[in-house]
Every structure is written in C-alpha cells, then in structure tokens.
Amino acid sequence: MDLTVKLKNADDIDHIATGVQPTPFHSRTSKLNMNQQWVEWCGYATAVSYMDAHIEYFATRNTCAVFDMSPMRKYRFKGPDAEAMLDRMVTRDVSKQALNTVAYNVWCTDAGRVVDDGTLFRLADDEFIVCCADPCYDWFQLAAVGFDAIEITDISEDLASLALQGPTSCALLKQMGFSGIENCKPFEIVKFPYLSGEMMISRTGFTGDLGYELWIDPKDAEALWDELFDKGYNYGIQPLGDESLDMARLEAGFISPDVEFHGALHTVEPGHDHSPFELGLGWIVNFKKAHFTGRAALLAEKESGNYRRLVKLDIEGNKPAESSILYSGKNCKQEIGYVTSAMWSPVVKANIAYGLIDAKYIDSEIWAEIYHQKELRWYRKVAKCTKVKKPFWAPERAKATPPPDC
C-alpha cells in the first residue's frame, strides 16, 4: 500500500508544525527568560519561569504580571445553530448568557465524564468563541452533528493573547489609553481600537486577583508587549511563567487540566477520569435546561451522591503535601484519597492543597502522609488536614467595579 502523502505544491507543507513553535510574543519572552527553561504547550514553547517563580508570583498579588496564553486553543462557532449546538454540548445554559460576556464551562461524554473545560465568549446572538487548554476540534465537530447552520473554525493562530493579572493591572490599562476599562465588570468583554486593528479585553484570569486577558491580532503582538512593559515599569510589571501561575491559581481555588483531572478522551484506566461533581463543578451543571451530553448520567450521579469529592485542604505544618496519600486516621491504615496540588502559600501563610476524597470518607478526619527532604535525607510526617470551603485567596478588588487604583 502506498502511504506517500502527495502534495499539490511546495506551499502545502507550510502549515505543518516542525517541533516546538514560538508564540507571537516569543521574541520578547525569550529575551527575558534568564533560565531558558521551556515546556511544550499545544506545540508551543512556554516559559517555566523567567528568573524566580516567587518574584513573578508576588507580582500577581502586589503589582501586575503578564502571562503568554497564546498556545490556548480558540474556536469560533458562528451561525443560526451556534447557540443550540453549544447548549447541547456544555453543562451551562448558553441561552441565558448575555452578549459580550464570558462564562466558564465544561463539556462531557455521554457517561458524564469531563472531556475538557474552558471559557465561552458570547460575541453576538450567533457567534461564540471557546477557549480551552487542549485541542478539541474533533470533539466539537462530533457535537455539531445534526446542526447544519453552524460553522466551526479553529482560530488559534488568528489570536495572540496575554493575561495581565494583579492589583495594578487596571491602572496600567488606563495609562495605555483604554478609557473606561475600569467600568468593565468581571466576565465582561470590551473592545478598543488598537494599532492596526482591534483589541478585545475580557475581565478574566486564572489568578483569583484583579486581572484581564488581552486578545489581539498576532502581527500587533510585539508592539503590545513593548507598550505594556514600557508603561508598566512604574506599575511593577513582571513576566509570568507556568510555575508562578500554578501557585496563584491554587490559592484562588481553580482546577487545572492534567493536574486535578485528565480529559476523559485521554485516560486508559477505569475511574481515572472525572465528572463535574467530583471536581466541585456541580454549580455549572444546569438540569433545568434542555438535554445536553451526559445529562442522564450526571443526574443519576447527583441523586446517588456516590462520587468522589475534590476538597480544599488546610494542612498543619509547613511541609507541602505534594503527591501525598490521604488517610482517615493518624495511623494511616485506611487510604481515602490523594493530593492533586499542594504548596506553602506565601500570601495566605498556610500549607494548602487540593485533595480528591472517596465519597464514603468525605466526613471522616483527613490526614496526609508527607515525605520531605532535608539535607539530602528523607523524612516522613503525618499531618492533619482541615477542609476549607472558600478559596484561599479572594481579595475584594477582584470583584470591585471600578477596582481601586493601587
């Protein structure tokens, strides 16, 4: 069998990625990355940290920081059937989402297992953009079966994006000339003319603090970065890497793909996928709307109550419970779950974590078996865990409109 790919002409190979690709901001991020440590995200290079993860993290809490989120996958849904198709796919009621707003969402298999999570932007009655961490184009095409009046387009390469996060972020945007940005409410979208085209700004982010996400044509990416760092000097701007972003999102009580959960299409072992209820996302599962994928399975799970719970934990001591097993007693005989994320929180001054607990032990005492190293020697510690309901970090400025100038 001849498996040779026949090309029409040499230009046909231009779209084929060869190795890890630079983002539209790479010419700037690579110069600031003193560590030159990169990881691959959807085929693109993203910085682990630029100099020190804690310096970058503190910028999200005291000044402002910029994270290159261009590798995120972005898909446009356009046409008369766009709303109905998305409403059948995701767990929230899309028909209730107002124009020029953003809503966090998940979409599931028929078995009620999470395929992925992401943000849904409503730009018009018949136009939406979905942003997610992993490629989902094939799933979206399957979900659109039966809907003829819709066009789904992968626009990932058509939008460069930055997350500008921290208490001075709004003041910096005003300094850049985005008049009225202070009136943008959480999860709202505003648009401004900028450089050769248009800037879309959403009051969204992954740090739990005041922040915005900036969406722009890739050809204007470098100019945007330069202006941010030129005018942001007096606002304490810093570049933000993966490590520091992960610290901030854990304090904010946000889950992360491939950390708290694997998408159901990427797991092999039974039980290694998750439902929205297991991940604490029951608040975005709407059973009042019409049928959506996974509805029957999710309703049965909710009524049974027999599902694991992802809980926030305040753990005694100061040794992070990374990769720890959780037990129902100090003797560590009955295993009840495991830690998905853990850290010592510099701002909260607490040893915090996410833990996934088996349903029948959710009301039991929780103890973490922690192994930590000191001068090349390993030590074992058993620490008591206290369940916490609210996010560890949720300052008033994150919701205030207009936010205070810091």
Side-chain angles (χ1 to χ4, degrees), residues 48-67 165-167 206-210 236-253 343-350 352 392-395 397:
V48 175
S49 64
Y50 287 84
M51 182 174 65
D52 181 270
H54 283 82
I55 292 176
E56 300 160 27
Y57 154 84
F58 275 112
T60 69
R61 301 307 186 218
N62 298 312
T63 55
C64 65
V66 174
F67 179 77
Q165 303 287 297
F206 203 47
T207 65
D209 214 307
L210 174 64
I237 196 168
Q238 292 283 340
L240 188 65
D242 276 1
E243 285 187 0
S244 41
L245 181 65
D246 193 57
M247 294 168 66
R249 71 90 192 164
L250 176 54
E251 289 178 336
M343 64 177 285
W344 169 260
S345 170
V347 167
V348 182
K349 299 294 186 288
I352 66 175
F392 297 102
W393 180 256
R397 61 178 175 248

Short mmCIF file of all heavy atoms in Angstrom, two decimals, residues 48-67 165-167 206-210 236-253 343-350 352 392-395 397:
data_model
loop_
_atom_site.label_atom_id
_atom_site.label_comp_id
_atom_site.label_asym_id
_atom_site.label_seq_id
_atom_site.Cartn_x
_atom_site.Cartn_y
_atom_site.Cartn_z
N VAL A 48 8.76 28.17 31.88
CA VAL A 48 8.52 27.60 33.21
C VAL A 48 8.59 28.73 34.24
O VAL A 48 7.69 28.92 35.05
CB VAL A 48 9.54 26.50 33.53
CG1 VAL A 48 9.36 25.99 34.95
CG2 VAL A 48 9.42 25.36 32.53
N SER A 49 9.67 29.47 34.20
CA SER A 49 9.83 30.69 35.00
C SER A 49 10.87 31.54 34.28
O SER A 49 11.69 31.03 33.51
CB SER A 49 10.26 30.40 36.44
OG SER A 49 11.54 29.79 36.46
N TYR A 50 10.86 32.83 34.54
CA TYR A 50 11.77 33.72 33.84
C TYR A 50 13.05 33.95 34.63
O TYR A 50 14.14 33.95 34.09
CB TYR A 50 11.08 35.06 33.56
CG TYR A 50 10.04 34.95 32.47
CD1 TYR A 50 8.75 34.52 32.74
CD2 TYR A 50 10.37 35.24 31.15
CE1 TYR A 50 7.81 34.40 31.74
CE2 TYR A 50 9.43 35.13 30.12
CZ TYR A 50 8.15 34.70 30.43
OH TYR A 50 7.22 34.57 29.43
N MET A 51 12.91 34.16 35.92
CA MET A 51 14.07 34.29 36.79
C MET A 51 13.83 33.55 38.10
O MET A 51 14.55 32.65 38.46
CB MET A 51 14.39 35.76 37.08
CG MET A 51 15.62 35.98 37.94
SD MET A 51 16.08 37.72 38.13
CE MET A 51 14.66 38.35 39.03
N ASP A 52 12.77 33.93 38.78
CA ASP A 52 12.40 33.28 40.04
C ASP A 52 10.88 33.25 40.13
O ASP A 52 10.22 34.30 40.04
CB ASP A 52 12.98 34.05 41.23
CG ASP A 52 12.63 33.39 42.55
OD1 ASP A 52 11.58 33.73 43.11
OD2 ASP A 52 13.40 32.54 43.02
N ALA A 53 10.32 32.07 40.31
CA ALA A 53 8.86 31.92 40.30
C ALA A 53 8.19 32.73 41.40
O ALA A 53 7.08 33.23 41.23
CB ALA A 53 8.49 30.44 40.43
N HIS A 54 8.86 32.88 42.55
CA HIS A 54 8.24 33.61 43.65
C HIS A 54 8.16 35.11 43.35
O HIS A 54 7.18 35.77 43.72
CB HIS A 54 9.00 33.36 44.95
CG HIS A 54 8.70 32.02 45.56
ND1 HIS A 54 9.33 30.87 45.15
CD2 HIS A 54 7.82 31.66 46.53
CE1 HIS A 54 8.86 29.84 45.86
NE2 HIS A 54 7.94 30.29 46.69
N ILE A 55 9.16 35.65 42.69
CA ILE A 55 9.11 37.06 42.31
C ILE A 55 7.94 37.30 41.36
O ILE A 55 7.18 38.27 41.50
CB ILE A 55 10.43 37.49 41.65
CG1 ILE A 55 11.56 37.49 42.69
CG2 ILE A 55 10.30 38.89 41.02
CD1 ILE A 55 12.92 37.80 42.11
N GLU A 56 7.77 36.41 40.41
CA GLU A 56 6.67 36.53 39.45
C GLU A 56 5.33 36.37 40.15
O GLU A 56 4.38 37.11 39.88
CB GLU A 56 6.84 35.48 38.35
CG GLU A 56 8.13 35.60 37.58
CD GLU A 56 8.52 34.32 36.86
OE1 GLU A 56 7.61 33.54 36.52
OE2 GLU A 56 9.73 34.10 36.65
N TYR A 57 5.25 35.40 41.06
CA TYR A 57 4.01 35.17 41.80
C TYR A 57 3.62 36.40 42.61
O TYR A 57 2.46 36.82 42.60
CB TYR A 57 4.20 33.95 42.71
CG TYR A 57 3.31 33.94 43.92
CD1 TYR A 57 2.00 33.47 43.85
CD2 TYR A 57 3.77 34.43 45.14
CE1 TYR A 57 1.18 33.47 44.96
CE2 TYR A 57 2.96 34.43 46.26
CZ TYR A 57 1.67 33.96 46.17
OH TYR A 57 0.86 33.97 47.26
N PHE A 58 4.58 37.01 43.31
CA PHE A 58 4.27 38.17 44.14
C PHE A 58 3.80 39.35 43.30
O PHE A 58 3.07 40.22 43.80
CB PHE A 58 5.46 38.55 45.00
CG PHE A 58 5.54 37.78 46.29
CD1 PHE A 58 6.56 36.86 46.51
CD2 PHE A 58 4.57 37.94 47.28
CE1 PHE A 58 6.62 36.14 47.69
CE2 PHE A 58 4.63 37.23 48.46
CZ PHE A 58 5.65 36.33 48.67
N ALA A 59 4.19 39.40 42.04
CA ALA A 59 3.69 40.47 41.17
C ALA A 59 2.18 40.35 40.97
O ALA A 59 1.48 41.36 40.87
CB ALA A 59 4.41 40.44 39.82
N THR A 60 1.65 39.12 40.94
CA THR A 60 0.20 38.96 40.77
C THR A 60 -0.55 39.38 42.03
O THR A 60 -1.76 39.63 41.96
CB THR A 60 -0.17 37.49 40.45
OG1 THR A 60 0.06 36.66 41.61
CG2 THR A 60 0.63 36.97 39.28
N ARG A 61 0.13 39.47 43.15
CA ARG A 61 -0.51 39.83 44.42
C ARG A 61 -0.24 41.28 44.84
O ARG A 61 -1.01 41.84 45.61
CB ARG A 61 -0.04 38.89 45.54
CG ARG A 61 -0.32 37.42 45.31
CD ARG A 61 -1.76 37.15 44.99
NE ARG A 61 -2.11 35.74 44.90
CZ ARG A 61 -2.95 35.24 44.03
NH1 ARG A 61 -3.51 36.04 43.12
NH2 ARG A 61 -3.27 33.96 44.02
N ASN A 62 0.84 41.88 44.32
CA ASN A 62 1.22 43.22 44.76
C ASN A 62 1.28 44.26 43.65
O ASN A 62 1.04 45.44 43.90
CB ASN A 62 2.59 43.17 45.45
CG ASN A 62 2.57 42.30 46.70
OD1 ASN A 62 1.69 42.43 47.53
ND2 ASN A 62 3.54 41.40 46.80
N THR A 63 1.61 43.84 42.43
CA THR A 63 1.70 44.79 41.31
C THR A 63 0.93 44.20 40.13
O THR A 63 -0.28 44.11 40.16
CB THR A 63 3.17 45.10 40.98
OG1 THR A 63 3.88 43.87 40.72
CG2 THR A 63 3.84 45.83 42.12
N CYS A 64 1.63 43.80 39.07
CA CYS A 64 0.96 43.11 37.97
C CYS A 64 1.97 42.26 37.20
O CYS A 64 3.18 42.53 37.24
CB CYS A 64 0.25 44.08 37.02
SG CYS A 64 1.33 45.23 36.12
N ALA A 65 1.47 41.25 36.53
CA ALA A 65 2.31 40.31 35.79
C ALA A 65 1.61 39.90 34.51
O ALA A 65 0.38 39.95 34.42
CB ALA A 65 2.65 39.09 36.64
N VAL A 66 2.41 39.48 33.51
CA VAL A 66 1.89 39.14 32.19
C VAL A 66 2.24 37.70 31.86
O VAL A 66 3.41 37.29 31.94
CB VAL A 66 2.46 40.07 31.12
CG1 VAL A 66 2.04 39.61 29.74
CG2 VAL A 66 1.99 41.50 31.34
N PHE A 67 1.22 36.91 31.49
CA PHE A 67 1.41 35.52 31.10
C PHE A 67 1.02 35.36 29.63
O PHE A 67 -0.08 35.76 29.23
CB PHE A 67 0.54 34.60 31.97
CG PHE A 67 0.65 33.14 31.63
CD1 PHE A 67 1.75 32.41 32.03
CD2 PHE A 67 -0.35 32.51 30.91
CE1 PHE A 67 1.85 31.06 31.72
CE2 PHE A 67 -0.27 31.16 30.60
CZ PHE A 67 0.84 30.43 31.01
N GLN A 165 -2.42 40.29 35.00
CA GLN A 165 -3.03 39.99 36.29
C GLN A 165 -2.34 40.74 37.42
O GLN A 165 -1.12 40.88 37.43
CB GLN A 165 -2.94 38.48 36.55
CG GLN A 165 -3.58 37.61 35.48
CD GLN A 165 -5.09 37.65 35.51
OE1 GLN A 165 -5.71 37.24 36.49
NE2 GLN A 165 -5.70 38.15 34.44
N GLY A 166 -3.14 41.19 38.39
CA GLY A 166 -2.59 41.84 39.57
C GLY A 166 -3.27 43.15 39.88
O GLY A 166 -3.99 43.72 39.05
N PRO A 167 -3.07 43.68 41.09
CA PRO A 167 -3.80 44.86 41.55
C PRO A 167 -3.54 46.14 40.76
O PRO A 167 -4.37 47.06 40.80
CB PRO A 167 -3.35 45.01 43.01
CG PRO A 167 -2.12 44.19 43.15
CD PRO A 167 -2.24 43.08 42.16
N PHE A 206 -6.71 33.66 35.70
CA PHE A 206 -6.50 32.36 36.36
C PHE A 206 -5.75 32.53 37.68
O PHE A 206 -5.17 31.58 38.18
CB PHE A 206 -5.72 31.46 35.41
CG PHE A 206 -5.89 29.98 35.65
CD1 PHE A 206 -7.13 29.41 35.85
CD2 PHE A 206 -4.78 29.14 35.68
CE1 PHE A 206 -7.29 28.06 36.07
CE2 PHE A 206 -4.91 27.77 35.89
CZ PHE A 206 -6.17 27.23 36.09
N THR A 207 -5.76 33.77 38.22
CA THR A 207 -5.00 34.04 39.44
C THR A 207 -5.89 34.32 40.64
O THR A 207 -5.40 34.33 41.78
CB THR A 207 -4.06 35.24 39.26
OG1 THR A 207 -4.84 36.43 39.05
CG2 THR A 207 -3.11 35.02 38.09
N GLY A 208 -7.19 34.57 40.43
CA GLY A 208 -8.08 34.90 41.52
C GLY A 208 -7.98 36.33 41.98
O GLY A 208 -8.67 36.75 42.92
N ASP A 209 -7.14 37.13 41.32
CA ASP A 209 -6.98 38.53 41.68
C ASP A 209 -7.57 39.40 40.59
O ASP A 209 -8.10 38.89 39.59
CB ASP A 209 -5.49 38.86 41.89
CG ASP A 209 -5.26 39.88 42.97
OD1 ASP A 209 -5.87 40.96 42.92
OD2 ASP A 209 -4.47 39.60 43.90
N LEU A 210 -7.49 40.71 40.76
CA LEU A 210 -7.87 41.61 39.68
C LEU A 210 -7.05 41.28 38.45
O LEU A 210 -5.84 41.07 38.54
CB LEU A 210 -7.63 43.06 40.11
CG LEU A 210 -7.86 44.13 39.05
CD1 LEU A 210 -9.32 44.17 38.61
CD2 LEU A 210 -7.41 45.49 39.56
N GLY A 236 5.18 48.08 38.31
CA GLY A 236 5.79 46.85 38.81
C GLY A 236 5.56 45.64 37.96
O GLY A 236 5.51 44.51 38.47
N ILE A 237 5.45 45.80 36.65
CA ILE A 237 5.13 44.69 35.77
C ILE A 237 6.25 43.66 35.73
O ILE A 237 7.45 44.01 35.78
CB ILE A 237 4.80 45.20 34.35
CG1 ILE A 237 4.10 44.12 33.54
CG2 ILE A 237 6.05 45.72 33.64
CD1 ILE A 237 3.48 44.62 32.24
N GLN A 238 5.87 42.39 35.67
CA GLN A 238 6.80 41.27 35.55
C GLN A 238 6.24 40.26 34.56
O GLN A 238 5.03 40.14 34.41
CB GLN A 238 6.98 40.57 36.91
CG GLN A 238 7.68 41.38 37.97
CD GLN A 238 9.17 41.43 37.77
OE1 GLN A 238 9.75 40.60 37.07
NE2 GLN A 238 9.82 42.41 38.37
N PRO A 239 7.11 39.51 33.87
CA PRO A 239 6.61 38.37 33.08
C PRO A 239 6.25 37.24 34.03
O PRO A 239 6.83 37.10 35.11
CB PRO A 239 7.80 38.01 32.19
CG PRO A 239 8.99 38.42 32.99
CD PRO A 239 8.58 39.65 33.77
N LEU A 240 5.30 36.41 33.62
CA LEU A 240 4.77 35.36 34.49
C LEU A 240 4.95 34.01 33.81
O LEU A 240 4.53 33.83 32.67
CB LEU A 240 3.29 35.64 34.76
CG LEU A 240 2.54 34.79 35.77
CD1 LEU A 240 3.11 35.03 37.17
CD2 LEU A 240 1.05 35.14 35.75
N GLY A 241 5.55 33.05 34.52
CA GLY A 241 5.75 31.72 33.98
C GLY A 241 4.75 30.72 34.53
O GLY A 241 3.91 31.04 35.38
N ASP A 242 4.85 29.48 34.05
CA ASP A 242 3.92 28.42 34.45
C ASP A 242 3.91 28.16 35.95
O ASP A 242 2.86 27.97 36.56
CB ASP A 242 4.28 27.12 33.72
CG ASP A 242 3.69 27.04 32.33
OD1 ASP A 242 3.01 28.01 31.92
OD2 ASP A 242 3.89 26.03 31.65
N GLU A 243 5.11 28.12 36.57
CA GLU A 243 5.20 27.77 37.98
C GLU A 243 4.46 28.79 38.85
O GLU A 243 3.72 28.43 39.75
CB GLU A 243 6.66 27.68 38.42
CG GLU A 243 7.37 26.42 37.95
CD GLU A 243 8.76 26.30 38.55
OE1 GLU A 243 9.16 27.18 39.34
OE2 GLU A 243 9.45 25.31 38.22
N SER A 244 4.68 30.07 38.58
CA SER A 244 4.05 31.10 39.40
C SER A 244 2.55 31.17 39.15
O SER A 244 1.77 31.42 40.07
CB SER A 244 4.71 32.46 39.14
OG SER A 244 4.96 32.65 37.77
N LEU A 245 2.12 30.95 37.90
CA LEU A 245 0.69 30.93 37.61
C LEU A 245 0.01 29.79 38.36
O LEU A 245 -1.10 29.94 38.88
CB LEU A 245 0.45 30.80 36.11
CG LEU A 245 -1.01 30.79 35.68
CD1 LEU A 245 -1.67 32.13 35.97
CD2 LEU A 245 -1.15 30.45 34.20
N ASP A 246 0.69 28.64 38.44
CA ASP A 246 0.12 27.49 39.14
C ASP A 246 -0.04 27.77 40.63
O ASP A 246 -1.01 27.34 41.26
CB ASP A 246 0.99 26.26 38.91
CG ASP A 246 0.29 24.98 39.33
OD1 ASP A 246 -0.81 24.71 38.81
OD2 ASP A 246 0.85 24.25 40.17
N MET A 247 0.90 28.51 41.20
CA MET A 247 0.78 28.89 42.61
C MET A 247 -0.44 29.77 42.83
O MET A 247 -1.23 29.56 43.76
CB MET A 247 2.05 29.63 43.05
CG MET A 247 3.31 28.79 43.05
SD MET A 247 4.81 29.80 43.24
CE MET A 247 4.59 30.43 44.90
N ALA A 248 -0.61 30.76 41.96
CA ALA A 248 -1.72 31.71 42.12
C ALA A 248 -3.07 31.03 41.94
O ALA A 248 -4.02 31.29 42.69
CB ALA A 248 -1.56 32.86 41.13
N ARG A 249 -3.17 30.14 40.96
CA ARG A 249 -4.48 29.52 40.70
C ARG A 249 -4.88 28.57 41.81
O ARG A 249 -6.07 28.41 42.11
CB ARG A 249 -4.47 28.82 39.34
CG ARG A 249 -3.64 27.56 39.21
CD ARG A 249 -4.39 26.30 39.53
NE ARG A 249 -3.48 25.15 39.66
CZ ARG A 249 -3.83 24.02 40.22
NH1 ARG A 249 -5.04 23.85 40.71
NH2 ARG A 249 -2.96 23.04 40.32
N LEU A 250 -3.92 27.92 42.48
CA LEU A 250 -4.26 27.03 43.60
C LEU A 250 -4.80 27.84 44.76
O LEU A 250 -5.80 27.47 45.39
CB LEU A 250 -3.04 26.22 44.02
CG LEU A 250 -3.21 25.31 45.25
CD1 LEU A 250 -4.40 24.37 45.08
CD2 LEU A 250 -1.94 24.51 45.51
N GLU A 251 -4.18 28.98 45.07
CA GLU A 251 -4.69 29.85 46.12
C GLU A 251 -6.11 30.33 45.79
O GLU A 251 -6.94 30.52 46.68
CB GLU A 251 -3.79 31.06 46.28
CG GLU A 251 -2.44 30.76 46.91
CD GLU A 251 -1.58 31.99 47.01
OE1 GLU A 251 -1.79 32.95 46.23
OE2 GLU A 251 -0.68 32.01 47.87
N ALA A 252 -6.38 30.55 44.50
CA ALA A 252 -7.69 31.06 44.07
C ALA A 252 -8.75 29.97 44.03
O ALA A 252 -9.94 30.27 43.82
CB ALA A 252 -7.56 31.71 42.70
N GLY A 253 -8.37 28.72 44.18
CA GLY A 253 -9.33 27.62 44.17
C GLY A 253 -9.75 27.20 42.77
O GLY A 253 -10.85 26.69 42.58
N MET A 343 0.98 23.32 48.12
CA MET A 343 2.01 24.35 48.20
C MET A 343 1.96 25.02 49.57
O MET A 343 0.94 24.95 50.27
CB MET A 343 1.80 25.43 47.14
CG MET A 343 0.52 26.22 47.31
SD MET A 343 0.27 27.56 46.11
CE MET A 343 1.41 28.79 46.73
N TRP A 344 3.05 25.66 49.95
CA TRP A 344 3.03 26.60 51.05
C TRP A 344 2.67 27.95 50.45
O TRP A 344 3.36 28.44 49.56
CB TRP A 344 4.37 26.67 51.77
CG TRP A 344 4.43 27.83 52.73
CD1 TRP A 344 5.01 29.04 52.52
CD2 TRP A 344 3.83 27.89 54.03
NE1 TRP A 344 4.82 29.85 53.61
CE2 TRP A 344 4.10 29.17 54.55
CE3 TRP A 344 3.09 26.98 54.79
CZ2 TRP A 344 3.65 29.57 55.81
CZ3 TRP A 344 2.65 27.39 56.04
CH2 TRP A 344 2.93 28.66 56.54
N SER A 345 1.57 28.53 50.90
CA SER A 345 1.09 29.79 50.33
C SER A 345 1.79 30.97 50.97
O SER A 345 1.61 31.23 52.17
CB SER A 345 -0.42 29.93 50.53
OG SER A 345 -0.84 31.23 50.20
N PRO A 346 2.57 31.72 50.20
CA PRO A 346 3.30 32.87 50.77
C PRO A 346 2.39 33.99 51.26
O PRO A 346 2.71 34.67 52.22
CB PRO A 346 4.17 33.34 49.60
CG PRO A 346 4.27 32.18 48.68
CD PRO A 346 2.96 31.47 48.80
N VAL A 347 1.24 34.20 50.59
CA VAL A 347 0.34 35.28 50.97
C VAL A 347 -0.59 34.85 52.09
O VAL A 347 -0.79 35.57 53.08
CB VAL A 347 -0.48 35.76 49.75
CG1 VAL A 347 -1.62 36.66 50.19
CG2 VAL A 347 0.42 36.52 48.78
N VAL A 348 -1.18 33.66 51.98
CA VAL A 348 -2.12 33.18 52.99
C VAL A 348 -1.39 32.71 54.24
O VAL A 348 -1.96 32.64 55.33
CB VAL A 348 -2.98 32.05 52.41
CG1 VAL A 348 -4.01 31.56 53.41
CG2 VAL A 348 -3.68 32.53 51.14
N LYS A 349 -0.10 32.40 54.09
CA LYS A 349 0.71 31.85 55.18
C LYS A 349 0.09 30.57 55.72
O LYS A 349 -0.14 30.40 56.92
CB LYS A 349 0.86 32.87 56.31
CG LYS A 349 1.56 34.16 55.90
CD LYS A 349 3.01 33.91 55.52
CE LYS A 349 3.77 35.19 55.25
NZ LYS A 349 3.38 35.85 53.99
N ALA A 350 -0.19 29.66 54.78
CA ALA A 350 -0.79 28.38 55.16
C ALA A 350 -0.30 27.30 54.21
O ALA A 350 0.12 27.58 53.08
CB ALA A 350 -2.32 28.48 55.11
N ILE A 352 -1.44 24.64 51.96
CA ILE A 352 -2.72 24.39 51.31
C ILE A 352 -2.60 23.30 50.25
O ILE A 352 -1.51 23.01 49.75
CB ILE A 352 -3.29 25.69 50.67
CG1 ILE A 352 -2.40 26.16 49.52
CG2 ILE A 352 -3.42 26.77 51.73
CD1 ILE A 352 -2.96 27.37 48.77
N PHE A 392 -8.72 30.17 49.03
CA PHE A 392 -7.73 30.65 49.99
C PHE A 392 -7.43 32.13 49.76
O PHE A 392 -7.07 32.85 50.68
CB PHE A 392 -6.45 29.83 49.87
CG PHE A 392 -6.63 28.39 50.21
CD1 PHE A 392 -6.73 27.43 49.20
CD2 PHE A 392 -6.73 27.96 51.52
CE1 PHE A 392 -6.91 26.09 49.50
CE2 PHE A 392 -6.90 26.63 51.84
CZ PHE A 392 -7.00 25.68 50.83
N TRP A 393 -7.56 32.58 48.50
CA TRP A 393 -7.25 33.97 48.16
C TRP A 393 -8.37 34.54 47.29
O TRP A 393 -8.61 34.05 46.19
CB TRP A 393 -5.92 34.05 47.41
CG TRP A 393 -5.53 35.44 47.02
CD1 TRP A 393 -5.59 36.00 45.77
CD2 TRP A 393 -5.00 36.46 47.87
NE1 TRP A 393 -5.15 37.30 45.80
CE2 TRP A 393 -4.77 37.60 47.08
CE3 TRP A 393 -4.70 36.52 49.24
CZ2 TRP A 393 -4.24 38.78 47.60
CZ3 TRP A 393 -4.17 37.69 49.76
CH2 TRP A 393 -3.94 38.80 48.94
N ALA A 394 -9.08 35.54 47.81
CA ALA A 394 -10.18 36.16 47.06
C ALA A 394 -10.34 37.61 47.50
O ALA A 394 -11.28 37.94 48.22
CB ALA A 394 -11.47 35.38 47.26
N PRO A 395 -9.42 38.50 47.11
CA PRO A 395 -9.50 39.90 47.54
C PRO A 395 -10.70 40.61 46.94
O PRO A 395 -11.16 40.27 45.85
CB PRO A 395 -8.18 40.48 47.03
CG PRO A 395 -7.83 39.64 45.85
CD PRO A 395 -8.30 38.25 46.20
N ARG A 397 -10.89 43.46 45.60
CA ARG A 397 -10.60 44.18 44.34
C ARG A 397 -10.85 43.31 43.11
O ARG A 397 -11.06 43.82 42.02
CB ARG A 397 -9.16 44.67 44.33
CG ARG A 397 -8.11 43.56 44.43
CD ARG A 397 -6.69 44.09 44.37
NE ARG A 397 -5.71 43.04 44.57
CZ ARG A 397 -4.92 42.93 45.63
NH1 ARG A 397 -5.02 43.81 46.62
NH2 ARG A 397 -4.03 41.96 45.73
#
